[in-house]
Amino acid sequence: MVDKRKVRKAVFPVAGLGTRFLPATKAVPKEMLTVVDKPVLQYVVDEALDAGIEHLIFVTGRGKGLIEDYFDIQVELEQTLRERNKTAELTLLESILPEAGSTSFTRQQAPLGLGHAVWCARELVGEEPFALLLPDMIMRGEKGCLKGMVELYEQSGGNVIAVEECDPDQAHKYGIVGVGDKVGEGFKVTQMVEKPAKGTAPSNFFINGRYILQPEIFPILATQERGAGNEIQLTDGMLKLSEAQEFAAYHFKGSTYDCGSKDGFILANVAFALARADIRPTVEKQLAELLNAAK
Ligand code: UTP
């Protein structure tokens, strides 16, 4: 019998060091870097809320206090906006404020890996399925990625991971899944391989940073040895869990930007700016000029 309990909680692991983005991340968490006019993390939180998530769990670390402040009221700022009749700005701030009691924060004292960060959320998640969103991956698509995953989960139950297609020559850089029978907008996962050796990947579907997991992942992560990079790896835990439970893959149709890398972050800014009616005209024109000048 597959488990189809509602997915109410989402975990955002934001305790990583962000070494690929130094020196910016020396003082600013990479999740708070801005894409156009919003922190990267706001895009991911919006995706979760759009998918029906009710409770946001952040696994933070030292130097990440800004994240907690961001989800709180900024009394002085709001007072000043009120005095200056800046109603639109006030409304904007109110619209992004999570409902009181709908956020939780816990600490990962040392960045021992993504698997360990997820394990740190075990008490806050409890005995129910949960969504996990890697907060440096932001997505653009017709339908929110997690929303599509929840729809698939309502049919498949069990565990769901989101996948996208990559250039087969690049499959060795990613976590790749094997393709089984079709389910909804996806398929059953037959295998998962982290960074397969060139030419050995079972498909070109890579895991893009969104998961719906059953709570049985926690006892597995609790006893897990360190894996690649001497870190406690989530993929190793999922592999173990897949021995006992089903995994389905949701085929996300859209684009994912890895904002933890410099090129992904810059591309995200360009893509999201071009998607904005208020910004596109000027950005498009000047981008074309820059590209011409660089030829
Ligand atoms: P990454 O490997 O992309 O993040 O982990 P990182 O370690 O911060 O980045 P680099 O490689 O040093 O530049 C994916 C997500 O998991 C979180 C990160 O914050 C990121 O959002 N993470 C990773 C943790 O919360 N704890 C960890 O120990 C590792």
Side-chain angles (χ1 to χ4, degrees), residues 164 166-168 171 176-179 187 191 193 196 200-206:
E164 271 172 69
C166 67
D167 180 342
I176 300 286
V177 298
V179 181
F187 51 84
Q191 56 172 312
V193 204
T200 65
S203 77
N204 65 334
F205 284 105
F206 72 95

Side-chain angles (χ1 to χ4, degrees), residues 12-22 25 30-31 41 59-61 64 108 110-118 120 132-137 211 231-233 258-261:
F12 303 86
V14 289
L17 298 178
T19 55
R20 283 172 295 158
F21 230 127
L22 284 167
T25 45
K30 69 174 168 184
E31 300 80 8
L41 187 55
V59 180
T60 72
K64 303 274 182 168
Q108 183 191 27
L112 301 180
L114 176 60
H116 182 261
V118 173
C120 290
L132 168 65
L133 298 95
L134 298 198
D136 43 5
M137 308 297 268
Y211 314 77
E231 291 192 340
I232 298 174
Q233 296 286 351
D258 178 4
C259 292
S261 74

Side-chain angles (χ1 to χ4, degrees), residues 1-287:
M1 189 41 199
V2 284
D3 197 333
K4 287 192 192 174
R5 281 171 298 167
K6 186 170 173 357
V7 185
R8 300 187 309 123
K9 299 180 181 178
V11 174
F12 303 86
V14 289
L17 298 178
T19 55
R20 283 172 295 158
F21 230 127
L22 284 167
T25 45
K26 185 179 173 195
V28 180
K30 69 174 168 184
E31 300 80 8
M32 295 307 289
L33 297 175
T34 36
V35 168
V36 186
D37 53 6
K38 287 196 288 189
V40 168
L41 187 55
Q42 181 74 58
Y43 289 87
V44 187
V45 163
D46 288 346
E47 182 188 329
L49 296 174
D50 174 56
I53 294 296
E54 296 163 10
H55 198 97
L56 312 169
I57 299 168
F58 299 92
V59 180
T60 72
R62 271 186 302 287
K64 303 274 182 168
L66 263 183
I67 294 177
E68 217 160 319
D69 291 343
Y70 178 78
F71 290 105
D72 197 358
I73 290 171
Q74 234 280 34
V75 180
E76 278 175 29
L77 172 64
E78 292 183 18
Q79 182 61 29
T80 309
L81 291 175
R82 222 165 273 124
E83 283 163 12
R84 296 186 184 171
N85 278 331
K86 298 220 172 235
T87 335
E89 289 80 356
L90 260 177
T91 310
L92 173 69
L93 292 188
E94 278 163 17
S95 72
I96 58 166
L97 189 69
E99 195 190 338
S102 68
T103 53
S104 295
F105 297 84
T106 188
R107 285 251 182 162
Q108 183 191 27
Q109 288 106 335
L112 301 180
L114 176 60
H116 182 261
V118 173
W119 179 73
C120 290
R122 67 197 179 284
E123 290 294 331
L124 293 170
V125 171
E127 291 298 316
E128 57 181 285
F130 64 100
L132 168 65
L133 298 95
L134 298 198
D136 43 5
M137 308 297 268
I138 60 172
M139 291 157 186
R140 274 182 45 75
E142 271 175 35
K143 179 158 48 181
C145 185
L146 189 65
K147 189 177 186 140
M149 293 171 73
V150 168
E151 285 169 13
L152 176 65
Y153 170 82
E154 281 160 5
Q155 297 176 49
S156 65
N159 302 270
V160 178
I161 48 184
V163 296
E164 271 172 69
E165 287 183 270
C166 67
D167 180 342
D169 288 346
Q170 302 297 310
H172 62 283
K173 293 184 179 166
Y174 300 99
I176 300 286
V177 298
V179 181
D181 293 344
K182 196 171 159 36
V183 206
E185 287 184 67
F187 51 84
K188 286 194 173 172
V189 172
T190 54
Q191 56 172 312
M192 290 182 261
V193 204
E194 188 58 36
K195 300 193 175 71
K198 273 195 171 181
T200 65
S203 77
N204 65 334
F205 284 105
F206 72 95
I207 303 175
N208 73 0
R210 301 287 186 265
Y211 314 77
I212 292 174
L213 296 170
Q214 296 295 329
E216 287 75 25
I217 191 77
F218 293 122
I220 295 174
L221 292 172
T223 56
Q224 196 171 291
E225 304 280 313
R226 290 179 187 228
N230 203 26
E231 291 192 340
I232 298 174
Q233 296 286 351
L234 177 69
T235 316
D236 295 342
M238 291 198 306
L239 274 172
K240 183 94 192 122
L241 183 61
S242 70
E243 291 169 13
Q245 294 186 3
E246 296 260 317
F247 273 73
Y250 168 69
H251 184 183
F252 173 64
K253 294 175 192 86
S255 307
T256 296
Y257 301 93
D258 178 4
C259 292
S261 74
K262 291 168 197 169
D263 47 356
F265 175 75
I266 289 165
L267 282 172
N269 267 288
V270 174
F272 280 84
L274 290 176
R276 286 264 300 257
D278 56 334
I279 298 176
R280 181 173 182 127
T282 42
V283 170
E284 191 175 28
K285 186 165 171 288
Q286 291 183 35
L287 262 183

